[in-house]
Amino acid sequence: MSIDLLLLLGLSLLGAGLAWGMTRGRARREEADAAALEQVHKEGRAEAQTLHPVIDPDKCIGSLSCTAVCPEGDILGVVDGKAALINPSACIGHGKCSVECPVDAIQLVFGSAKKGVDLPECNEFFETSRPGIHIVGELGGMGLIKNAITQGLQVARHLGPKLKSVQSEIDDVVIVGSGPSGLATALGLKEQGLKFRVVEQETFGGTISQYPRQKVVMSERVELPFYGKFGAPLISKEQLLESWLEACNKADIRVNTGVKVEDIKGEDGNFTVFTTKGTLRAKKVVLATGRRGSPRKMGVPGEDLDKVTYRLIDAQQYDGARVLVVGGGDAALEAAIQIAEESDAEVALSYRQPEFGKAREANKRRFKELVDQGRVFAFMASNIKQVTKESVTLEKGGRLFELPNDFIIACLGGEVPTEFLKKMGVGMTRLHGESLGGKARAKRGSAIQDAKEKAHRRLAFGLFVLGALTVAALFVVGWDYYRLPQSERLGHVAHRVLKPAGPWGHGVGIVSTVVMLSNFIYAVRKRWGRLKGFSTIRTWLTFHQFVGFLSPLVIVFHAAFQSKNHLATLTAGSLGVVVLTGVVGRFIYGLVPSSEGKAGELDELSRRWQRLSERLGGAAASLSAPAEVETLIASAVTRPKEASLFRFLLHLPGQRLSDARHLLHVRNQFPSREHAHDFVDSFKKLRKLQAQVSFYRSLKTLLASWRVFHVVLAVLLVVLIAAHIGVSLFLGYRWIFT
């Protein structure tokens, strides 16, 4: 057996092993995620509670870089080869999955088709329907500390250039609220050199100051003016407040606490803000109050008693008391856990659902441990009916019972202070699954997104120009030489330099190989956690595509447009397949509609399919001997089974012939030619729709194999390149080292 055959056999075995491993690993992941999604639906946890991702199945290429970045764990999984939201109720709107999608297939949306969300109307710069008043942070629907900081800085940097040019004796901005969004706005305005005031109705830190003692929160590291890198993956309430205080001291920012805003009069450029401690005047107003100022109530008799509170501050104050926590989110679980761990109180928890959905897994595990130890009593699937001074009445399974009680902590989340906002002249809008910028006056900060999109287009165009100039320069250098037949090149004056083993040809090969290997940075960027924050994955994919298209073009100049040995030919062939499969995955795969897509052609086909089946069913019911007609209808309305494209194409002609024979036989059963014609025409349309669905599914399944070929051939390509380099060194081409 020749060395070439041995090499080919070895590469084939290596490729087959890699392909099997990839396919098997992904299949196992899909099985587990599909089972998790089914369990979520069974438990009634399929509804997202806040800002959450929606994946476009027609855009998703199955990169899966989005599934590994959520701090909350496995919120996204893999179903039918694509990313899917498998734990919706646990999503709290981090939005990292959207950033990590290389093809922009993930949109962050507010609300759902079933459950709308009322939010203030905001444009791309967080300006409300009342000009001059901006809303940032949790009040605008986007929680989390990093989001709040980003929004505050964005508003400040937007207002800076506008207000610097307008000279006035009044303040430039009044900021209402000293939580993360309000303080970030203040730091940004200080950076812009503007005059402003910060007012807070409670204490410094706003919402954060109301967290339980030593509560640990997530705060991604962000860059703050006057402070530098701010935050940590896990940080306590006290550490976070200390960091904010340090940042404000460095920037010489003062927060006026105990000041409640009661009304805002005036117009953009000249507002008067009425507070409990006097009036303030400013050109602009930024509302950063959060939502916890308006806690969601239980809506039962007795909830106004002094024993009812809506947040936990210090667990030790409940020593010896009987405490009921109401709610099933993180705040409720953390309150119950902290009281049980830090006091000798008798702790119980009531939640209306049989299972916790939106809480973090760590909290659910610890809560279960305390329940098993008898430190906490859990009343799941129960509802509060009445509160008295000595007890609370619960309803569970249709039965009422009374629970002795001293204190109730209702952790039911917050409501948008609609009345306050309406009084301020701020309009509200109800969102049913709309994305950022997806509804008029609901763009809420999409200016950053728009700017990133423009920057990405500039990058793509710049790389295209660079690639075109590179290829053009290589053509100019060797135009006369490359056009010559092989037999005439030996006599060309530049042959010694431009030939593959010459200084120029060899140098081009070395440079193109280094550039080509840089393509693997994209794969490393997807998988290595430390690189997750280093530019966006979409930027790396654009660079990946640029290198992928440019490398083969440059390599042919290294080879001087010829192939003299099997190793070089095999390497070039592998490179061609890698590029081709990459093109299929990035540009062609997404053109095939997904059979499960929410919008687009297949949804319309399904609706037409349903209408036609009902129409056909009515026609069959009027016949004296409808059995054969009903059999035909049943065969056409059944959703097609999964099949390969080859089997689909093989089966289609036979099905068409069989349909024609049966239709010819049943025509005479109809009372008139018009009825028969109507039935035949509808049946053919139905069969056509069924075939379209089956074709799209089978074609999508076939094209999904691009990923296996792409990755396996890329790995084999590295092996071949290494062999090519080894042969070159063995033959003495070592001038680069000298």
Side-chain angles (χ1 to χ4, degrees):
M1 186 178 289
S2 67
I3 188 68
D4 291 339
L5 287 176
L6 284 173
L7 176 62
L8 185 59
L9 179 61
L11 290 174
S12 299
L13 291 174
L14 176 60
L18 289 172
W20 181 86
M22 278 189 62
T23 305
R24 185 58 186 153
R26 184 171 282 241
R28 287 177 178 172
R29 171 74 187 270
E30 286 200 38
E31 289 173 6
D33 289 343
L37 182 59
E38 184 179 356
Q39 185 66 25
V40 162
H41 280 280
K42 284 182 179 179
E43 295 175 358
R45 298 187 286 114
E47 195 79 33
Q49 305 296 318
T50 180
L51 183 71
H52 63 280
V54 169
I55 299 97
D56 185 341
D58 290 339
K59 284 186 178 181
C60 179
I61 62 174
S63 161
L64 307 189
S65 56
C66 59
T67 62
V69 295
C70 184
E72 302 303 316
D74 291 333
I75 304 299
L76 289 179
V78 192
V79 179
D80 292 333
K82 301 174 290 292
L85 189 59
I86 62 171
N87 196 2
S89 60
C91 177
I92 61 174
H94 283 282
K96 283 189 168 186
C97 53
S98 178
V99 176
E100 282 299 306
C101 179
V103 293
D104 199 27
I106 298 179
Q107 295 282 321
L108 296 177
V109 304
F110 296 90
S112 64
K114 294 181 180 178
K115 184 179 178 182
V117 175
D118 292 317
L119 293 174
E121 295 179 352
C122 291
N123 68 8
E124 64 269 31
F125 297 108
F126 296 103
E127 187 174 21
T128 67
S129 55
R130 183 176 179 183
I133 295 183
H134 296 254
I135 287 180
V136 291
E138 191 181 16
L139 183 61
M142 295 181 69
L144 302 178
I145 293 173
K146 181 182 179 181
N147 289 342
I149 293 173
T150 301
Q151 292 171 15
L153 293 177
Q154 180 184 347
V155 166
R157 288 161 184 169
H158 168 68
L159 294 178
K162 291 179 173 291
L163 298 179
K164 283 179 182 177
S165 59
V166 181
Q167 299 298 320
S168 175
E169 294 181 359
I170 64 175
D171 291 327
D172 293 306
V173 182
V174 167
I175 302 168
V176 184
S178 67
S181 56
L183 295 178
T185 304
L187 290 167
L189 293 175
K190 189 75 173 184
E191 180 186 46
Q192 296 292 318
L194 300 180
K195 295 188 299 180
F196 60 90
R197 291 177 187 268
V198 184
V199 296
E200 166 63 53
Q201 70 174 349
E202 295 190 6
T203 59
F204 178 86
T207 301
I208 297 174
S209 66
Q210 300 172 15
Y211 287 166
R213 184 168 51 84
Q214 292 299 318
K215 173 180 170 65
V216 176
V217 296
M218 287 183 173
S219 175
E220 295 179 52
R221 293 180 69 83
V222 293
E223 191 75 27
L224 277 182
F226 304 99
Y227 187 85
K229 288 291 183 182
F230 177 90
L234 292 176
I235 186 171
S236 70
K237 157 195 169 179
E238 287 75 15
Q239 291 171 322
L240 195 57
L241 286 174
E242 185 179 343
S243 297
W244 277 119
L245 188 59
E246 183 182 350
C248 289
N249 288 336
K250 286 184 176 180
D252 193 24
I253 292 174
R254 180 170 169 264
V255 176
N256 300 291
T257 58
V259 181
K260 183 178 180 180
V261 173
E262 297 180 322
D263 202 358
I264 301 174
K265 300 290 187 182
E267 58 186 15
D268 188 11
N270 187 18
F271 286 112
T272 300
V273 181
F274 294 88
T275 76
T276 52
K277 293 189 177 181
T279 60
L280 302 170
R281 294 186 62 207
K283 302 169 192 171
K284 303 280 185 180
V285 177
V286 175
L287 299 178
T289 57
R291 296 159 61 116
R292 289 182 179 251
S294 301
R296 186 174 288 114
K297 300 296 183 71
M298 294 182 292
V300 299
E303 68 177 338
D304 295 328
L305 292 172
D306 292 340
K307 65 185 284 186
V308 179
T309 185
Y310 294 91
R311 61 176 181 265
L312 172 68
I313 299 297
D314 187 357
Q316 293 179 358
Q317 75 181 80
Y318 297 106
D319 268 334
R322 296 165 296 187
V323 182
L324 175 69
V325 179
V326 182
D330 282 311
L333 293 185
E334 288 169 0
I337 291 168
Q338 191 166 350
I339 296 172
E341 291 180 338
E342 298 183 13
S343 75
D344 59 1
E346 183 181 301
V347 186
L349 181 140
S350 169
Y351 182 47
R352 67 180 184 275
Q353 299 293 342
E355 299 286 343
F356 297 117
K358 56 187 177 180
R360 293 188 177 97
E361 287 300 322
N363 284 335
K364 288 193 279 189
R365 284 195 301 270
R366 181 56 183 149
F367 181 82
K368 185 178 183 304
E369 290 172 0
L370 291 171
V371 170
D372 292 341
Q373 295 168 11
R375 285 292 296 118
V376 177
F377 299 93
F379 297 97
M380 306 302 291
S382 67
N383 291 286
I384 306 293
K385 290 300 182 181
Q386 186 178 11
V387 178
T388 66
K389 289 184 178 180
E390 294 82 19
S391 67
V392 57
T393 302
L394 299 179
E395 182 270 328
K396 179 177 172 62
R399 184 175 64 88
L400 296 177
F401 62 95
E402 195 171 345
L403 189 71
N405 172 261
D406 299 312
F407 296 98
I408 293 176
I409 303 174
C411 302
L412 304 176
E415 295 178 335
V416 176
T418 306
E419 294 304 319
F420 172 76
L421 292 174
K422 286 181 178 178
K423 183 180 178 181
M424 300 299 111
V426 175
M428 304 293 290
T429 184
R430 172 156 287 196
L431 302 179
H432 285 276
E434 282 91 0
S435 62
L436 296 176
K439 188 172 182 178
R441 301 298 296 177
K443 297 178 187 265
R444 43 196 84 251
S446 58
I448 288 181
Q449 186 176 321
D450 296 341
K452 288 180 178 178
E453 183 61 31
K454 290 179 182 178
H456 183 264
R457 286 198 293 266
R458 288 196 298 269
L459 171 66
F461 180 74
L463 290 175
F464 171 79
V465 171
L466 176 61
L469 291 175
T470 300
V471 174
L474 291 171
F475 261 120
V476 169
V477 170
W479 178 247
D480 293 336
Y481 177 75
Y482 298 136
R483 288 187 303 163
L484 294 176
Q486 182 64 35
S487 59
E488 297 180 21
R489 289 186 180 184
L490 295 174
H492 194 278
V493 65
H495 174 68
R496 189 185 67 82
V497 175
L498 296 178
K499 66 180 182 178
W504 175 262
H506 203 190
V508 169
I510 292 170
V511 172
S512 61
T513 299
V514 172
V515 172
M516 183 166 55
L517 292 176
S518 70
N519 233 349
F520 287 92
I521 297 177
Y522 170 68
V524 175
R525 166 63 177 78
K526 283 205 310 179
R527 291 165 176 80
W528 193 17
R530 294 195 176 186
L531 291 178
K532 292 294 185 183
F534 185 54
S535 190
T536 65
I537 192 68
R538 192 178 177 199
T539 299
W540 281 107
L541 178 60
T542 301
F543 176 76
H544 185 74
Q545 293 168 188
F546 163 71
V547 173
F549 283 119
L550 183 63
S551 297
L553 297 176
V554 175
I555 290 250
V556 298
F557 288 95
H558 159 61
F561 296 87
Q562 60 183 329
S563 179
K564 288 186 174 181
N565 59 72
H566 295 303
L567 182 59
T569 303
L570 194 58
T571 304
S574 299
L575 180 57
V577 174
V578 169
V579 174
L580 179 61
T581 52
V583 170
V584 169
R586 178 62 185 91
F587 301 105
I588 299 177
Y589 180 77
L591 295 178
V592 181
S594 167
S595 61
E596 303 300 329
K598 284 187 175 182
E601 183 179 358
L602 288 184
D603 262 356
E604 178 59 25
L605 296 183
S606 298
R607 286 191 290 270
R608 287 165 57 194
W609 188 347
Q610 182 62 33
R611 291 196 297 269
L612 286 172
S613 64
E614 292 172 357
R615 186 176 172 189
L616 289 175
S622 65
L623 302 178
S624 57
E628 189 172 1
V629 174
E630 289 177 347
T631 301
L632 276 175
I633 293 174
S635 68
V637 300
T638 303
R639 183 169 288 275
K641 296 179 180 179
E642 289 283 351
S644 67
L645 185 61
F646 176 76
R647 286 184 61 188
F648 166 76
L649 296 175
L650 190 65
H651 173 70
L652 190 62
Q655 184 189 71
R656 290 290 184 263
L657 290 174
S658 176
D659 287 346
R661 186 174 69 255
H662 283 96
L663 289 173
L664 186 63
H665 188 259
V666 301
R667 280 176 184 271
N668 296 330
Q669 295 190 32
F670 290 88
S672 67
R673 293 182 60 185
E674 289 76 15
H675 282 92
H677 176 76
D678 186 50
F679 173 79
V680 172
D681 184 59
S682 296
F683 179 83
K684 287 181 177 179
K685 288 180 180 178
L686 195 56
R687 271 293 197 218
K688 182 179 179 181
L689 300 184
Q690 188 188 54
Q692 285 178 315
V693 172
S694 184
F695 173 73
Y696 286 141
R697 291 172 68 183
S698 59
L699 182 58
K700 196 84 170 178
T701 301
L702 174 66
L703 291 180
S705 62
W706 73 269
R707 189 178 301 104
V708 176
F709 285 99
H710 189 67
V711 174
V712 169
L713 266 296
V715 174
L716 296 184
L717 185 61
V718 173
V719 176
L720 290 169
I721 290 173
H724 186 71
I725 294 172
V727 170
S728 298
L729 294 174
F730 177 76
L731 295 176
Y733 298 106
R734 304 180 183 181
W735 61 270
I736 190 173
F737 299 111
T738 59

